[in-house]
Amino acid sequence: MNNNSPVILGYDCVSPLGTELDAQWSRAAAGESGISDLTRFPLREGFPVRIAGQVTDIDVAPYPFLKPREMAHWTSPVFKHALLVVMRALARSGIEITKELAPRAAVTFSSAIGGLDALIEADRTLVATGKLPQPFMNPNSCINMVGGKVAIATGATGPISSIITACATGSSSLILGTMFIAQGMADVALCGAVDFPLMESIVAGFATMNGAYRPKEGEEVPPPQAASCPFSLTRRGFVVSEGAGCIVLASKDFARAHGLAWGIELAGWGMTADAYHVVAPNAVTVRRCLEETIRHAGIAPSDIDAVNAHAASTKVGDRVEADVLREVFGGKVPPVSAGKSQLGHAMGASSAIESILAMEGMRRGILLPTINHRPDPEIPLDCVAEGARRLDQEFVLKNAFGFGGCNACLVFRRVA
């Protein structure tokens, strides 16, 4: 085993399944979907995307760190939701970032898209009316400002970095936080990601590149809840969604010294670059990422009890991931859960949210289902299609693959 593995002390998320962790877990375990009609902006006639995974608005009143006058400057929802999940994860962890701890507390919380909505809105207003943007427009659109606001809110003054690896950002944030701890630069790391990409131009762009879900011409349009179907014969692209997830890491020495209990550790991690294509995955480097991650955890593939897949519900991506899983596990692939079947694709936040729900499943002895699954003869996987399954899980492999060939895989270990 990897003796330098950091431990997970707390986590929290918001997703299309809800804004409270227990409620999200309950809905996920019940096999529900968070996908619905797209209402985040008015839909023009003929707009190609009509559904999405949307996060319901939150009441800021119970959260003193979301001061209305202060947050009025931060118009992009990434800031409100980033602070919400970070502060709640910290509360769950039992850690208080005191003046003494602050220099040893790192921030790697990031975003793949950031506050582009603020920039787009300001640009449209400037073009249409000539009105200059408000002073906070540029800070809203700076991706590193998400981590900056987290540091300001928590008082963390250790190393800070906003790693961006597209759809793998959440997992990469965990790996970077782990590296800071392993290098002795921090004792605690606030990791995770936030993305709220439901902007007209962004969603339209995903459609024109044939990434976002579109129903097949001439066929009956399925309900929104059935559209995201990873590894299925009927998959037709990902459902764009939004959300945020924070995971608090710490060194074992720190946790022991402060009497903090943990039940899960980050046992292994790996990263590779495809160096191949802007969006299509490279099976060779994807496979190496999985193999190096498992090896780094000090275990064999046969020790993995379940896989939490990237599985965006695209034709090529799902097929490559399934092929690689069969190669890595020698044809004996453990059960595979595809969270995006319920959540949609929350871009950089997806792997953070999916990791949190996977860890809840490890803690509870429950493997979440892949809903909407219609078997594809070319993808013979056990996708837990029958519904949530009782399963003790010591080791879970989490995959995340991003545009530009950014691969990041994790192995979580449940400990007694």
Side-chain angles (χ1 to χ4, degrees), residues 24 29 36 74 76 105 208 244 252 273 343 350-351 364 386 408:
Q24 292 171 78
S36 59
W74 302 95
S76 175
T208 56
K252 288 176 181 167
L343 301 161
S350 59
S351 56
R364 297 168 184 258
E386 78 279 6

Side-chain angles (χ1 to χ4, degrees), residues 124-145:
R124 286 184 170 182
T125 300
L126 180 62
V127 171
T129 68
K131 183 180 179 181
L132 296 178
Q134 52 105 341
F136 276 77
M137 187 275 289
N138 281 349
N140 267 268
S141 62
C142 290
I143 290 181
N144 75 294
M145 196 61 69

Side-chain angles (χ1 to χ4, degrees), residues 68-105:
R69 288 189 66 177
E70 160 70 10
M71 296 309 298
H73 297 301
W74 302 95
T75 57
S76 175
V78 298
F79 294 99
K80 175 171 66 175
H81 292 91
L83 296 181
L84 176 68
V85 298
V86 168
M87 299 302 279
R88 292 197 310 201
L90 262 179
R92 290 175 183 272
S93 75
I95 295 174
E96 180 185 358
I97 299 183
T98 60
K99 186 181 296 186
E100 293 73 28
L101 176 59
R104 303 288 299 168

Side-chain angles (χ1 to χ4, degrees), residues 107-320:
V107 175
T108 65
F109 194 95
S110 190
S111 176
I113 293 175
L116 278 180
D117 52 316
L119 177 63
I120 291 171
E121 181 61 28
D123 180 68
R124 286 184 170 182
T125 300
L126 180 62
V127 171
T129 68
K131 183 180 179 181
L132 296 178
Q134 52 105 341
F136 276 77
M137 187 275 289
N138 281 349
N140 267 268
S141 62
C142 290
I143 290 181
N144 75 294
M145 196 61 69
V146 174
K149 286 289 289 179
V150 167
I152 292 168
T154 61
T157 61
I160 182 171
S161 183
S162 299
I163 190 168
I164 305 166
T165 53
C167 310
T169 297
S171 292
S172 299
S173 170
L174 276 167
I175 294 171
L176 182 59
T178 296
M179 290 177 175
F180 282 147
I181 292 171
Q183 290 298 312
M185 298 172 66
D187 295 319
V188 173
L190 308 180
C191 312
V194 58
D195 267 317
F196 278 69
L198 293 178
M199 300 160 249
E200 187 176 26
S201 53
I202 298 293
V203 174
F206 283 131
T208 56
M209 67 183 294
N210 293 321
Y213 169 82
R214 288 196 207 185
K216 192 171 184 178
E217 285 189 36
E219 291 189 358
E220 184 178 352
V221 178
Q225 297 80 6
S228 185
C229 47
F231 298 128
S232 289
L233 186 64
T234 51
R235 64 191 188 277
R236 292 190 55 80
F238 56 80
V239 175
V240 185
S241 70
E242 54 193 16
C246 176
I247 299 168
V248 180
L249 292 180
S251 69
K252 288 176 181 167
D253 287 344
F254 175 88
R256 291 189 185 107
H258 290 80
L260 300 171
W262 70 87
I264 296 174
E265 62 185 40
L266 183 52
W269 52 92
M271 301 175 78
T272 63
D274 282 343
Y276 175 70
H277 189 275
V278 291
V279 293
N282 180 355
V284 174
T285 44
V286 169
R287 174 175 176 169
R288 181 159 60 84
C289 192
L290 270 68
E291 291 175 334
E292 290 180 356
T293 300
I294 295 170
R295 186 163 56 248
H296 185 255
I299 59 176
S302 58
D303 293 314
I304 297 292
D305 298 297
V307 176
N308 190 280
H310 176 72
S313 196
T314 61
K315 285 288 184 184
V316 175
D318 286 12
R319 174 64 185 274
V320 169

Side-chain angles (χ1 to χ4, degrees), residues 20-35:
E20 298 293 336
L21 182 56
D22 286 344
Q24 292 171 78
W25 168 259
S26 295
R27 291 190 65 191
E32 295 183 27
S33 169
I35 310 304

Side-chain angles (χ1 to χ4, degrees), residues 357-410:
L357 292 176
M359 287 188 284
E360 273 292 288
M362 296 174 75
R363 189 174 69 83
R364 297 168 184 258
I366 298 289
L367 191 60
L368 290 176
T370 301
I371 66 171
N372 304 322
H373 187 254
R374 180 180 171 189
D376 182 340
E378 296 183 346
I379 301 180
L381 296 177
D382 173 5
C383 290
V384 200
E386 78 279 6
R389 181 185 302 174
R390 288 218 160 267
L391 182 70
D392 286 335
Q393 306 152 64
E394 182 180 5
F395 292 102
V396 169
L397 172 67
K398 170 64 192 151
N399 295 336
F401 314 125
F403 283 179
C406 302
N407 306 316
C409 295
L410 311 168

